Amino acid sequence: MYIYDAFDRRLLAERVTEFRDQVSRRLSGELTEEEFKPLRLMNGVYLQLHAYMLRIAIPYGTLSTLQLRKLAEIARKYDRGYGHFTTRQNIQFHWIKLAELPDAMAELASVGMHGMQTSGNNVRNITTDQWAGVAPDEIEDPRVWAELIRQHVTLHPEFSFMPRKFKIAVGASERDRAALRIHDMALRLHRNGAGESGFEVMVGGGLGRTPYLAQTIKPFLPKRDVLSYVEAVLRTYNQFGRRDNIWKARIKILVHDLGAEAFAKEVEAEWQSIKDGALVLEPAMVADIAGRFRYPHYEKLDDSPRELAQGQRDAAFAAWLRNSVSNHKAPGYAIVTVSLKPEGGTPGDCTAAQMELLADLADRYSFGEVRVGHEQNLALPHVAQRDLPALWRELAAEGLAQANISLISDIISCPGLDYCSLANARSIPIAQEITRRFHDIDRQRKLGRLHINISGCINACGHHHVGHIGILGVEKNGEEFYQITLGGKADENATLGTLIGPAVPYAQVADVVEDIAAAYLDLRERPEELFIDTVKRVGIEPFRERVYATR
């Protein structure tokens, strides 16, 4: 966990006081909604279909149990008893009353949380791998670098009113668990030929109306230069990014129009003027930030202890162990992913009671720490292997031990037309119906790793472009239709999906998914061939034929 200092706490308190005054002026009529809009957006407050929505940043996806309990309290006191975890390691409350927003923000500030820059044309929440600091394949903890960037860009006057929003992700593992290439800017820690660690810099990713994957503009950037280079990229975007057309304002359009090579030259020219200035990261500065992270004092434990072997006599526990438990860098420990995708549920929703339970379990089994992943699930990152059977029993008793991580029911979805004023179609009911159709866990396991992503509009908050099966809601003559794409993925080999044919009506979407799943079982060469590999091998035509044969 990162430990806030006195400056951090004072900044949050001052921000709450400022926003309280702004809300008071809006309620009195001194400010119109149009005048209030940019002020609320800077604090993560949206006006959705039915109410104001508050989005809270969870930097690099790390939560203390103190913070998780506070989120539960906010959900129960100011909302309708639940929160919604998003694809960018945030949490959203969809039913906040405007008059109560300042009080909710004050309570959040008391535990080091806020909504600053979770909306608006600025640098959004800095995200990373939800297993950061514990993944056995990482070079080092990327959260330190994410925190350095977060501190630099938060309320930065030059980057508070950019052409459009700007999203940064940081990774440090061979396997990409942070969806790096769909971000405006991504930084991947790796080692060069001399064994020195530094960053591969990628820019120009983003989904929405015109999806692009980020392109590498600097294969290796020394760590000392990360702040100055980030600033050079932001300055270049600020200078050349379009402000006359909201649909062409993202950096992905600028990089595409200029070309990655030409954009890199502009960044390099800007960087040369600042690279040896005040933003150079001396080792002592990095050590100061790194020193504010508190890591568990792991016991010296053996892998595969007796308790774990005994627990696997229970078939249900053994299945959960295979599906939801991952290797940890410390011997004798494991990473547990907790599914927030129950049958018939809303992907990413978590009730106040569930938050409090997970906080209690994290205190007992995970050194008081919880993580949020971009797949809209939670993780307990420091669980002793000997405690896994006991943890599983407690999760199962509360319905939180679904062994469906990365299976067809582990759906990523935006809130869609049930909440969002920008949406064209519903997302949540589609996800709920698919989970009901595939409720049989044995059927899910037979299909294997298969990611479904659903967006309720072209803004692509559900990342449908990079789903193995992507579902996009569109509006046709006042009715909800859905476009289907196949073959997308957001890992280290990121690919955009391919549209398979005409949009289908709302009532047919789950049927189409069943057709696609059946076609996959017929087309795969062997049971071990993953869905995404079958699509890559045979193309989309066989799936298209199956889907539209009777439509």
Side-chain angles (χ1 to χ4, degrees):
M1 289 297 305
Y2 175 78
I3 307 301
Y4 272 52
D5 63 12
F7 175 84
D8 296 315
R9 292 190 291 272
R10 186 173 69 251
L11 172 64
L12 295 189
E14 291 173 351
R15 194 69 173 182
V16 170
T17 299
E18 178 184 64
F19 187 65
R20 190 180 296 279
D21 176 66
Q22 293 165 350
V23 169
S24 176
R25 287 187 287 144
R26 172 69 188 106
L27 292 171
S28 71
E30 184 180 345
L31 290 175
T32 66
E33 179 58 39
E34 195 61 28
E35 291 169 330
F36 182 55
K37 181 178 179 179
L39 304 176
R40 62 173 169 79
L41 287 176
M42 290 295 288
N43 290 280
V45 180
Y46 286 80
L47 182 56
Q48 295 203 300
L49 281 178
H50 312 292
Y52 285 98
M53 179 268 279
L54 175 62
R55 180 182 292 155
I56 300 302
I58 304 172
Y60 33 84
T62 299
L63 277 171
S64 70
T65 52
L66 177 68
Q67 291 173 325
L68 187 55
R69 288 192 179 92
K70 178 58 70 175
L71 292 175
E73 183 181 347
I74 296 297
R76 188 174 283 118
K77 187 174 180 180
Y78 298 104
D79 205 271
R80 295 188 175 180
Y82 67 94
H84 175 75
F85 289 100
T86 78
T87 56
R88 297 213 74 255
Q89 298 177 317
N90 298 308
I91 186 170
Q92 296 178 175
F93 296 107
H94 289 277
W95 300 98
I96 296 281
K97 295 177 181 177
L98 179 59
E100 297 178 342
L101 268 168
D103 290 339
M105 288 182 169
E107 293 197 39
L108 288 162
S110 72
V111 295
M113 301 192 78
H114 60 82
M116 290 187 298
Q117 298 188 194
T118 58
S119 56
N121 295 335
N122 48 47
V123 181
R124 300 290 185 88
N125 185 37
I126 311 297
T127 61
T128 188
D129 181 351
Q130 68 266 27
W131 296 353
V134 297
D137 63 335
E138 73 180 8
I139 293 175
E140 59 184 84
D141 190 343
R143 295 177 302 166
V144 174
W145 303 98
E147 177 61 25
L148 281 159
I149 297 168
R150 186 192 73 82
Q151 291 194 15
H152 181 60
V153 300
T154 298
L155 301 183
H156 194 302
E158 189 175 350
F159 309 132
S160 293
F161 301 96
M162 296 193 296
R164 279 288 273 131
K165 58 188 175 183
F166 198 93
K167 300 175 181 179
I168 300 175
V170 185
S173 297
E174 182 177 336
R175 182 177 175 188
D176 178 8
R177 289 177 288 268
L180 295 176
R181 287 200 179 268
I182 66 171
H183 283 78
D184 298 282
M185 183 178 189
L187 301 160
R188 184 183 71 89
L189 268 167
H190 66 110
R191 298 190 189 280
N192 62 13
E196 177 190 8
S197 59
F199 292 98
E200 175 189 5
V201 181
M202 297 165 271
V203 298
L207 303 178
R209 187 175 299 268
T210 48
Y212 292 108
L213 298 176
Q215 300 181 63
T216 299
I217 63 167
K218 198 167 190 66
F220 189 84
L221 176 74
K223 291 188 291 188
R224 71 185 284 275
D225 296 320
V226 66
L227 283 190
S228 61
Y229 201 84
V230 167
E231 177 135 332
V233 170
L234 290 171
R235 285 185 177 183
T236 303
Y237 172 48
N238 234 354
Q239 179 180 358
F240 294 105
R242 293 185 60 171
R243 299 174 186 270
D244 62 327
N245 186 328
I246 191 173
W247 306 114
K248 297 183 179 181
R250 295 290 294 271
I251 192 175
K252 63 184 180 181
I253 303 299
L254 176 62
V255 173
H256 177 262
D257 288 350
L258 283 180
E261 186 176 347
F263 181 82
K265 288 181 179 178
E266 295 290 351
V267 172
E268 193 73 18
E270 181 66 39
W271 183 52
Q272 290 301 320
S273 67
I274 61 174
K275 66 186 294 285
D276 296 317
L279 295 180
V280 171
L281 284 173
E282 301 295 348
M285 299 168 63
V286 178
D288 176 63
I289 295 298
R292 297 192 198 182
F293 282 84
R294 299 290 183 267
Y295 295 90
H297 296 291
Y298 298 117
E299 297 181 57
K300 292 184 178 179
L301 302 176
D302 293 328
D303 285 325
S304 302
R306 174 175 50 85
E307 295 89 342
L308 189 58
Q310 291 174 341
Q312 291 184 72
R313 296 170 185 169
D314 186 316
F317 169 73
W320 175 82
L321 182 70
R322 291 191 300 272
N323 174 265
S324 304
V325 179
S326 304
N327 292 333
H328 194 285
K329 70 176 184 181
Y333 285 85
I335 306 164
V336 173
T337 301
V338 179
S339 172
L340 296 182
K341 317 291 178 62
E343 179 187 341
T346 299
D349 274 9
C350 193
T351 68
Q354 288 172 330
M355 292 183 210
E356 289 166 342
L357 170 69
L358 288 168
D360 291 343
L361 295 178
D363 278 338
R364 289 207 296 278
Y365 298 116
S366 187
F367 293 91
E369 191 173 319
V370 179
R371 303 289 182 82
V372 183
H374 81 86
E375 299 93 346
Q376 297 177 287
N377 293 314
L378 302 180
L380 302 177
H382 314 289
V383 181
Q385 292 178 19
R386 67 188 179 197
D387 292 331
L388 287 170
L391 171 61
W392 170 75
R393 285 191 292 270
E394 296 201 50
L395 287 170
E398 300 298 329
L400 286 170
Q402 294 93 354
N404 65 339
I405 300 301
S406 295
L407 301 182
I408 195 168
S409 67
D410 185 12
I411 296 169
I412 291 175
S413 173
C414 73
L417 194 55
D418 287 300
Y419 296 96
C420 183
S421 59
L422 300 177
N424 301 117
R426 290 169 291 172
S427 299
I428 293 171
I430 296 291
Q432 292 170 328
E433 178 59 22
I434 292 171
T435 62
R436 293 188 188 102
R437 296 284 185 98
F438 292 90
H439 68 276
D440 185 338
I441 193 66
D442 290 330
R443 185 184 182 194
Q444 292 189 51
R445 292 186 190 122
K446 184 178 180 181
L447 291 168
R449 189 180 187 93
L450 205 170
H451 298 247
I452 295 180
N453 293 48
I454 308 173
S455 298
C457 77
I458 198 64
N459 288 306
C461 294
H463 297 176
H464 65 276
H465 294 290
V466 289
H468 294 171
I469 301 175
I471 302 172
L472 167 64
V474 296
E475 183 268 331
K476 285 187 175 183
N477 300 318
E479 296 184 21
E480 296 168 292
F481 277 73
Y482 294 82
Q483 296 177 350
I484 312 297
T485 55
L486 295 182
K489 53 182 179 176
D491 60 12
E492 60 279 5
N493 299 306
T495 306
L496 300 175
T498 301
L499 185 67
I500 67 168
V504 298
Y506 172 85
Q508 294 184 19
V509 176
D511 293 335
V512 168
V513 172
E514 289 207 272
D515 288 343
I516 291 169
Y520 159 60
L521 293 178
D522 290 341
L523 291 165
R524 66 184 182 184
E525 288 186 326
R526 59 191 186 284
E528 295 76 26
E529 184 177 52
L530 298 177
F531 174 85
I532 191 68
D533 294 331
T534 299
V535 174
K536 183 178 180 180
R537 177 174 56 81
V538 305
I540 67 167
E541 192 58 37
F543 294 95
R544 188 204 313 271
E545 291 174 0
R546 178 70 68 95
V547 167
Y548 295 104
T550 58
R551 290 184 176 87

